[in-house]
């Protein structure tokens, strides 16, 4: 999933541009390798990296090396390669966003909020047990086929007093079931 955020497709070793036929109708493979293509158009990627100063946008993070654009709305959920759907993250925060332990909401042009899985603002005091339970519940819901956006929305509505993983998942499923 992370690779789909910003991948370079280089094809396979045996990929060829096409087959050409000679005057006698015999087919010959055109052995020129295909050109590499980017998932995100290069101009869009440059614009996002320039806007974000080439640094990870998570508050307190100063990483400016090995940063990559992240789709706020996942591509498999209809997210596009739009500047306002992309944010620059370092590798660690990118993994955290995809695992559900970092929740990013909003859009870059009007403001982003970064929260731990337990709902506390990123960088603030976190309840490790609650954050771990919420991250596991998020992964379970996504693994069951719910969209990331649905899982984030329903988990945000469940009170932190619901503490066991089973209780969190059951309550989330009750709220998601009518949909």
């Amino acid at each position: 999933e992370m690779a789909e955020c910003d991948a370079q497709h280089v094809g396979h070793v045996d990929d060829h541009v096409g087959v050409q036929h000679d005057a006698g109708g015999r087919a010959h493979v055109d052995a020129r390798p295909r050109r590499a293509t980017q998932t995100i158009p290069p101009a869009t990627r440059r614009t996002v990296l320039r806007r974000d100063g080439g640094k990870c946008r998570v508050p307190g993070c100063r990483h400016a090396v090995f940063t990559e654009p992240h789709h706020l709305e996942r591509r498999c959920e209809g997210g596009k390669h739009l500047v306002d759907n992309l944010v620059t993250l370092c590798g660690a925060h990118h993994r955290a966003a995809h695992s559900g332990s970092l929740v990013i909401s909003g859009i870059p042009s009007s403001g982003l909020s970064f929260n731990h899985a337990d709902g506390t603002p990123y960088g603030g005091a976190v309840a490790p047990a609650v954050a771990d339970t919420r991250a596991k519940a998020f992964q379970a819901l996504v693994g069951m086929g719910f969209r990331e956006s649905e899982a984030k929305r329903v988990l945000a509505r469940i009170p932190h007093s619901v503490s066991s993983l089973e209780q969190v998942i059951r309550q989330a499923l009750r709220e998601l079931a009518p949909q």
Side-chain angles (χ1 to χ4, degrees):
E1 188 68 33
M2 281 179 56
E4 284 297 316
C5 277
D6 185 29
Q8 183 178 49
H9 299 282
V10 293
H12 298 283
V13 174
D14 58 351
D15 276 352
H16 302 287
V17 172
V19 176
Q20 296 189 3
H21 299 277
D22 62 16
R26 291 182 299 263
H28 297 280
V29 175
D30 184 356
R32 293 175 298 175
R34 291 183 184 214
R35 294 185 69 178
T37 58
Q38 300 296 131
T39 303
I40 298 173
T44 302
R45 186 179 199 284
R46 283 191 303 271
T47 301
V48 170
L49 291 173
R50 191 175 317 115
R51 178 200 64 208
D52 296 341
K55 298 177 185 167
C56 181
R57 288 281 301 263
V58 175
C61 185
R62 296 198 176 283
H63 287 158
V65 180
F66 304 117
T67 58
E68 51 212 20
H70 167 68
H71 289 80
L72 295 168
E73 182 181 1
R74 287 175 34 175
R75 296 204 45 231
C76 65
E77 295 180 1
K80 305 286 184 222
H81 303 306
L82 303 174
V83 172
D84 249 0
N85 189 41
L86 295 165
V87 63
T88 304
L89 298 177
C90 67
H93 286 123
H94 199 182
R95 282 188 299 280
H98 280 279
S99 73
S101 57
L102 171 63
V103 180
I104 306 169
S105 55
I107 57 173
S109 63
S110 61
L112 293 169
S113 67
F114 298 85
N115 295 301
H116 292 281
D118 69 349
T120 59
Y122 198 81
V126 65
V130 175
D132 185 53
T133 298
R134 297 300 170 116
K136 287 178 180 175
F138 172 82
Q139 286 297 319
L141 293 169
V142 171
M144 287 183 225
F146 293 101
R147 301 176 119 194
E148 271 191 18
S149 55
E150 293 172 318
K152 289 176 188 176
R153 186 181 68 251
V154 76
L155 289 172
R157 291 194 307 252
I158 297 174
H160 295 310
S161 59
V162 179
S163 58
S164 81
L165 179 59
E166 182 181 350
Q167 290 173 330
V168 171
I169 293 173
R170 283 183 185 275
Q171 188 162 342
L173 289 173
R174 277 194 297 273
E175 290 192 34
L176 290 167
Q179 298 175 7

